[in-house]
Structure formats: C-alpha cells, structure tokens
Amino acid sequence: MTLKISVAQLNFVVGDMVGNAQKIIDAARQSYATGTRLLVTPELSICGYAAEDLFLRPSFISACDAALANVALELAPLKGMAVVVGHPTGGADADARRTRSVAVSGRSNAASVVSEGKVLATYAKRELPNYQVFDERRYFSPGHGVCVFEAGQGASRTKIGLLICEDAWFEEPARLARAAGAELLAVINASPFHVGKGVEREQMMRQRVQACGLPLVYAHLVGGQDEVVFEGHSFALNFDGQIAGRAPSFVENMFDVLVKREHDAIVLEAIVEPLRSQEADLWDALVLGVRDYIGKNGFPSVLLGLSGGIDSALVLAVAVDALGKGRVRTVMMPSPYTADISWIDAADMAGRMGVRYDEISIVPEFEAFKASLAGEFKGRAEDTTEENIQARIRGTLLMALSNKFGSIVLTTGNKSEMATGYCTLYGDMAGGFAVIKDLTKTTVFKLARWRNANNPYDTCHEPIPLRIITRPPSAELRADQTDQDSLPDYEVLDAILERYMENDQSIEDIIAAGYARDDVLKVTRLIRINEYKRRQAPVGIRLTHRSFGKDWRYPITSKFRQ
C-alpha cells in the first residue's frame, strides 16, 4: 500500500485568517479526491508569515484559534484524512480546547494535526530563530516536546514526526522524533528567500536525514510579504539524502509525494523540478515581490520615473512582468542635463513594453527654484544642492501623480546607491516600494542582460535597449556627469560592500584581500554616514542574506570606528 502526501505550497496573506483557512480547506478537499491522506501546509499558514507584533494581540490569536477550529469542522467528512496546519497559539484555556497538546506553554509557533473534526495533536516549535530577519523570541516561547502522529490506514499507515522550520536545522528534534517512533519527518517552513537559500536548505536537510536515517518531506511557503519573499521550492529527500522530489519555485503548487515501503524501508517518490540559475531565481523573486506587495495592499497600478538609465529600465521590466503593461505608467522628466539618447532610449523601452509613457520637463520648475534661492545663494557656485533640487522636483511630480491617480510610485535606487548615499532624500528616494533596493549595480547589469536573453512571463523580448546596458551610468544632474566621478568602479564598490556589509569583514581584512586602502576607507565611510538616509527609505525586496532592512540594524548616531 502507498500513502500519498500532498504539500500545499500556497500563498497566504498575513491576517486573513478566514481566507487562509478556506485555502487550506479547498486544498484538502481537492487533494483528498485524488487519494491524498496527509496534507501538509507551511509554517503559520493559518495567519501568514510574519505577522510581527500582531502576534502580541490576544484578539489576533483568538482569530487564529477560530480559523483552526473551522478548518477541523469543515474537513470532518474527509474520513482518514489528516491535515497539518501551522498557526500561533496561546492563552489560558488553549490546552483545554485540545484533545492532546504537546508542550505548549505561553504563546507558541505551533502546528496542529486535524482529522475528522478533531485536533489530534499540537506541536510547539522548539528552536526559535533570532537572526537576520527573524525575531521569533520576541513573540514565542520555545516548545520542549515531540510530536509523532499516524497518517494513512492499514498497510499504508506511517508514523510521522512533525518539525517546524528551524527545528530541522538542529540534530536533537529529529533524533527525539525518531526515538518516539517516527518513520518519516514532515518539516513545515516559512523561510525567507535570498539567493542560494534553496540549495542551502536542501544541503542542510540532506545532512539531517543522513544523521537520523529518516526520509523527509519539506513543506515551504510561497509569496511576498512586505520586504521578504518566500520561494516555495518544497522538496522530499529519501533517508540516504538523495532527492526524491522538488516542487517548482515562486508559484503555488500542490506537491505530491508517494510513500512506499520497500524491503522494510520507506522510499519517497515525486516529480523533481530542476534547479535553476541564480538569475532566474532573482527575477522571479522580484516579480513575485512586486506582484504581492501591489496586490495584497490593494494598489491599482504603479508608476515610475523612466530616465533612460539601467536602474529604471530594470524596474520597468520587472513591473510589467509582475503586473502587465496596463497597470504600469512611466514618466520621463528631462532636465537641462538630460542627454538626447536618454530621451530616445526611455521612449524606445516604453514602446517595446507597451506601457504608457509621458514626458514632463522639469526645466521650468528648476529655473523657478534657482530664481527663488538666488539671493540666498549669491556668490556660491552650483554644487550638489542644485543636483538635489532636480531630484526633488521629480519626486514631487511623481508623488503628485500618485496622489491624483492612486498609483504607487516604484523607486529605482539600487543597493550600491543606498549603501553609499548616492541618492536624494525626498527625491529619487520618494516612493512607496523600492524594487531593486537589495541589488548591487553589478547585479543590475547582470540581470538586465539575463532579462534581454529570456522572456519568462511572455511579455516582451529584449525589452531593454542595448545602449542602456552599455553606456556609462550617470545621474545626469550636471554636465558630463558619470557615477564614477564620485564613486569607485562598481565592480570594486560592490565587492567591498559585499565583504563589509553582507559578511561583516573588517576594513583591514578587506584591504588584505587586495583592495586599495583609499577605496575601502571611502566606501565604508559612506556606508557609515548615510544610515540616516536609509532609515527614511521605502521598504524593498530582500534578495541577499543581508539587506538594508530588518537584518541591518545600525545606529544613526555612533562614534565607533574600526
């Protein structure tokens, strides 16, 4: 006999307990009709991940409890079906409402096994991560128990050990589950994406199954939530660590795994999706991040300033792939320093992608500002003040269009600029969502070339004019300006940024690695003195293992120097 397990790799919405519960109910009914007898949903599926300080509100926990009870009630007719549901739990009478509760005390990140109208068991997550974007010790108490339950009937009956995310990164929880009789591990997860993380998870779980000798089914969340993206990429491993199945990434999917017994050993079988390139993962993460931020927050459309440069070009391509051309508007806002080729290339790209394109000159406003300030600035040469005025005029125009038409402004600044302060408060930083905030300039160029060679959403072939990719980048805020007038070459800047900001290497270690002292001191100084800008920047999609978001918490005021 064979046990069929289905992983509900679904996109849940934080706080939509009724809608999330209905998704689980629908998935259970549909999979049950195809022979599934165990459905596994991701971590905290009933409320979405991460709910942050909503976890501290008793009414939020009560709504989660009610949603879980509704799932159990609605699925009662599915005889022999078990469903694992992730949810927060807590409250004085929580234990009394359960048939059997496993080590739940205080507020917990939990998972319950529901079957035929009852909650059979509840497991509380033991290992609570408190690094990078995780802050679970703020909200939850660790569990101390083990949860092993049975799924299937007759010869297909299998003892399942339940773990939640971080539990599987440590040896003890899996070892205890095996000691309690588990024949297979079910691990439910909500682990934010960063480039390379999917492969890292598989490698870590391979170590886990080889250490404990049990096969494993890994159920992972998909979708965007504020600055983080979850890529799906659920998978199954046999007891020897060999891949038994892998779900597609960045899409909802019902991932089916067959559990068979061969010579007293459990063997898993499933479809194995191939691993993908880093560029493909990055692109889909950007698209999903934009689509869910816009969709889940109810914005009808987006608009962005299209400059003829590489950053806005990439943001436009992402936006159209995410939302379709009808929900994207572009505005070219030329100044006295805008090159003719910038006009030409911006209009060319907008035409290729089929989006609305408008031109609003900022020359009259710029001249008016200079006239108003002429008395104050008398005797002083033009400098970055006048450059910033141009950027702020553009920001004001974009925000005015946003207010009038309800479109959210997508900002176009990249990680290299955010790190070094090569951006203007209330200017190019003005907007609601920073799409490429966690992409360095060198990665921007790499992704632009990748997108021109690939059309994953069938929206436009070669959307970015080649000259945008090959010309030297410039803010075009003064005559003959290039980025490298003020910054080291981006290959050097981004390498220093990765070592210092993402990997916490010291200044001396970076210099010892072969980078010029002057470049290292300049870049690290710029990172340090521009924290006040980053604190005022819009939220953006996290794509690396350390972004300028929740996982970067440095003081604005500090005298510390290396």
Side-chain angles (χ1 to χ4, degrees):
M1 295 290 289
T2 300
L3 170 65
K4 182 179 178 183
I5 299 175
S6 291
V7 172
Q9 181 177 289
L10 299 177
N11 189 340
F12 298 99
V13 180
V14 167
D16 184 13
M17 275 69 88
V18 173
N20 295 339
Q22 191 60 52
K23 270 199 164 188
I24 295 168
I25 293 165
D26 292 343
R29 288 171 175 165
Q30 292 166 14
S31 62
Y32 183 79
T34 67
T36 294
R37 291 302 177 263
L38 173 60
L39 179 76
V40 185
T41 72
E43 181 179 9
L44 293 171
S45 53
I46 209 78
C47 64
Y49 192 97
E52 299 182 316
D53 279 10
L54 287 173
F55 288 129
L56 304 178
R57 301 189 70 86
S59 58
F60 185 82
I61 303 299
S62 295
C64 292
D65 290 344
L68 177 66
N70 185 55
V71 170
L73 178 65
E74 290 292 323
L75 298 183
L78 305 186
K79 301 302 180 183
M81 176 75 153
V83 180
V84 175
V85 181
H87 62 97
T89 189
D93 62 339
D95 287 350
R97 291 196 299 269
R98 298 192 177 91
T99 306
R100 178 166 57 88
S101 185
V102 182
V104 178
S105 60
R107 190 186 306 107
S108 302
N109 179 345
S112 288
V113 183
V114 301
S115 181
E116 300 184 8
K118 299 178 181 179
V119 176
L120 300 182
T122 296
Y123 172 77
K125 186 175 182 179
R126 298 167 61 97
E127 304 292 342
L128 301 177
N130 227 61
Y131 55 86
Q132 293 180 345
V133 297
F134 299 104
D135 208 10
E136 292 200 16
R137 293 177 194 170
R138 175 178 174 87
Y139 306 114
F140 303 120
S141 299
H144 302 284
V146 180
C147 181
V148 176
F149 66 95
E150 292 186 345
Q153 295 177 319
S156 70
R157 188 180 297 274
T158 305
K159 293 183 178 181
I160 312 291
L162 182 58
L163 303 178
I164 302 177
C165 200
E166 191 83 357
D167 292 342
W169 290 68
F170 292 83
E171 181 179 346
E172 184 179 41
R175 179 176 56 79
L176 292 174
R178 173 159 188 155
E183 301 171 284
L184 181 151
L185 297 176
V187 186
I188 68 171
N189 304 265
S191 176
F193 167 81
H194 66 248
V195 66
K197 186 64 180 290
V199 173
E200 181 184 346
R201 289 193 202 100
E202 285 193 16
Q203 291 173 341
M204 179 57 68
M205 292 305 101
R206 186 169 293 112
Q207 295 177 26
R208 186 59 52 240
V209 300
Q210 289 173 338
C212 70
L214 297 180
L216 175 149
V217 175
Y218 190 100
H220 194 222
L221 184 65
V222 68
Q225 170 61 30
D226 295 345
E227 73 184 62
V228 296
V229 173
F230 304 91
E231 83 269 34
H233 190 127
S234 301
F235 58 89
L237 297 173
N238 278 309
F239 68 90
D240 58 358
Q242 294 300 307
I243 189 75
R246 183 185 298 119
S249 298
F250 299 101
V251 293
E252 290 190 309
N253 180 260
M254 292 300 293
F255 175 54
D256 296 330
V257 181
L258 298 181
V259 181
K260 299 180 178 181
R261 292 185 183 272
E262 297 181 359
H263 308 295
D264 295 326
I266 288 181
V267 177
L268 307 183
E269 292 182 4
I271 293 174
V272 182
E273 289 287 329
L275 292 172
R276 299 146 40 92
S277 70
Q278 287 192 350
E279 290 81 9
D281 276 352
L282 280 172
W283 193 263
D284 282 350
L286 287 164
V287 168
L288 183 57
V290 169
R291 182 183 295 151
D292 275 4
Y293 192 84
I294 302 308
K296 291 180 179 180
N297 287 294
F299 294 104
S301 55
V302 301
L303 81 125
L304 64 138
L306 193 62
S307 68
I310 187 69
D311 295 317
S312 62
L314 194 72
V315 172
L316 173 57
V318 170
V320 173
D321 279 5
L323 305 171
K325 62 185 180 181
R327 298 177 67 192
V328 182
R329 178 181 179 182
T330 62
V331 184
M332 172 62 160
M333 295 169 285
S335 79
Y337 307 110
T338 301
D340 289 344
I341 58 174
S342 296
W343 295 57
I344 294 167
D345 291 344
D348 181 10
M349 183 172 179
R352 294 185 190 196
M353 303 221 77
V355 300
R356 177 174 174 177
Y357 171 81
D358 298 291
E359 293 178 358
I360 304 174
S361 172
I362 69 166
V363 173
E365 291 87 349
F366 185 41
E367 294 301 323
F369 268 95
K370 290 198 294 183
S372 295
L373 293 165
E376 295 292 333
F377 291 174
K378 185 176 180 180
R380 295 176 178 267
E382 289 195 359
D383 54 18
T384 55
T385 305
E386 285 73 19
E387 295 181 28
N388 290 339
I389 286 173
Q390 295 170 70
R392 288 175 178 136
I393 292 169
R394 290 180 173 128
T396 298
L397 292 174
L398 287 173
M399 292 308 299
L401 292 170
S402 173
N403 292 159
K404 186 64 69 175
F405 297 104
S407 301
I408 186 174
V409 175
L410 302 181
T411 66
T412 59
N414 60 62
K415 189 173 190 174
S416 307
E417 295 168 347
M418 293 299 299
T420 58
Y422 199 71
C423 48
T424 304
L425 279 173
Y426 327 120
D428 56 319
M429 293 174 67
F433 196 56
V435 178
I436 59 172
K437 180 180 181 179
D438 199 29
L439 286 181
T440 61
K441 192 76 166 189
T442 50
T443 309
V444 167
F445 279 106
K446 184 185 299 184
L447 267 188
R449 294 187 182 94
W450 181 90
R451 179 58 182 87
N452 268 7
N454 297 272
N455 186 16
Y457 295 87
D458 197 27
T459 56
C460 178
H461 294 282
E462 296 186 16
I464 304 174
L466 183 59
R467 184 165 55 190
I468 290 179
I469 299 174
T470 58
R471 67 183 290 205
S474 170
E476 292 192 324
L477 297 173
R478 65 173 184 270
D480 302 318
Q481 183 182 30
T482 67
D483 291 2
Q484 268 55 65
D485 296 339
S486 307
L487 299 172
D489 289 341
Y490 278 117
E491 289 78 9
V492 173
L493 190 160
D494 291 346
I496 296 171
L497 173 61
E498 179 180 0
R499 288 171 176 269
Y500 182 78
M501 179 263 176
E502 294 182 15
N503 297 325
D504 285 326
Q505 291 187 15
S506 71
I507 288 173
E508 293 304 323
D509 284 345
I510 300 171
I511 294 170
Y515 295 91
R517 178 176 291 273
D518 287 348
D519 287 340
V520 176
L521 292 178
K522 181 173 186 176
V523 171
T524 55
R525 176 182 177 274
L526 289 172
I527 293 172
R528 186 179 70 249
I529 67 175
N530 282 290
E531 185 62 33
Y532 77 101
K533 284 189 180 182
R534 291 188 290 270
R535 288 287 185 94
Q536 300 178 69
V539 65
I541 304 168
R542 178 182 185 265
L543 300 163
T544 66
H545 72 271
R546 195 172 201 186
S547 68
F548 286 118
K550 294 179 183 177
D551 41 351
W552 177 265
R553 305 181 191 183
Y554 275 68
I556 296 172
T557 305
S558 171
K559 291 295 184 181
F560 176 75
R561 304 289 185 270
Q562 279 191 301

